[in-house]
Amino acid sequence: MNQKKPLAFISGASSGIGKATAFSLLHQGYDLFLMARRKERLIELKKELEELAISMTHTAHQKQSDSEMAPSQIHFFAGDVSSLTEIEKMIQGHQSVFKRLSVIINNAGLAKGSDPFHKNNLNAINQVIDTNIKGLLYLTHQLLPFMLDKKEGHIVNLGSVAGRWVYPGGTVYCASKFAVTAITEGLRQDLLGTGIRVTNIEPGMVESEFSMVRFDNEEKAKAVYEGMTPLTPEDIADCITWSLSRPKHVNIQEMIIYPTDQGAIRMVHRQGSHK
Ligand code: 8X3
């Protein structure tokens, strides 16, 4: 039987948690729709995922010779989540694909610097708010109708421990992640009765491009994880995949994940130190 697979949409899919989640969900048998700004990265990633999907299908064929299994399909769109126009263009161009939408992973997000608020650059403030809050809202608002029609689906928002606790130099980033916490909680309440689940995944320190984007400085970015073992994007992809794989009547509202070496934000055990 050659059945259509459910579709998972992932924003910020070209690296880090988004990319790791793409691989993890491919293994779970989803078709994927990847969105990110960097087109070359998406082209490369699509190729990698397609190759893996084909090899997975061959292995499955060998095990179940009587079933006809198609490899997962990988779709992508290069665009910025903070642009409603680009989101609308993406959806208009892929109506039939989005009809199979089952999962939205709102992963795109960033921090810019760690200066005190009065030293923040206005462009950076706008970029963080526009991506982390407005981007998430726009995408969810435009994609939700495809899931409402089906009376089931799952929205996973990538929050952060910074959406629970505030730290100096994190005013704008923390505000954006507090918004993600509120949006997730609100959506879960607003969507009650629709069959759609909503989950907030809130990681502590994850080693990815996050710190490089935040500091725009390789040395500073490296120093963040020095002497400690941070979480990996794959650790978080595991949590996302587990939340999605619960029975349909189970909604994981939120999950806070710290590395064992992190006691709280800015409280890190580093080799040879107690802080
Ligand atoms: C990232 C966690 O501690 O850098 O979301 O703000 S932190």
Side-chain angles (χ1 to χ4, degrees), residues 4-5 10 27 30 55 93 113 119 122 142 161 166 200 210 215-216 222 237 241 272:
K4 287 272 184 200
K5 297 170 195 285
I10 307 173
H27 281 285
Y30 284 90
S55 78
K119 295 193 176 154
L122 276 177
Q142 299 300 306
V161 291
V166 180
N200 190 12
F210 178 82
F215 296 114
D216 199 17
K222 243 179 138 191
T241 304

Side-chain angles (χ1 to χ4, degrees), residues 21-87:
T21 304
F23 279 95
S24 182
L25 295 188
L26 186 83
H27 281 285
Q28 299 303 309
Y30 284 90
D31 282 347
L32 300 172
F33 197 110
L34 314 171
M35 182 180 188
R37 284 174 302 175
R38 295 172 287 193
K39 191 170 181 183
E40 324 73 58
R41 288 247 193 146
L42 286 172
I43 293 171
E44 199 52 43
L45 180 57
K46 176 177 156 75
K47 209 171 129 219
E48 252 185 273
L49 288 161
E50 279 174 347
E51 278 167 14
L52 178 60
I54 289 168
S55 78
M56 281 164 53
T57 310
H58 285 156
T59 314
H61 267 306
Q62 280 159 7
K63 287 192 187 146
Q64 298 170 268
S65 49
D66 56 334
S67 84
E68 235 186 83
M69 304 185 78
S72 291
Q73 290 178 5
I74 319 295
H75 309 268
F76 74 81
F77 183 86
D80 189 335
V81 298
S82 66
S83 163
L84 186 54
T85 317
E86 288 183 23
I87 292 172

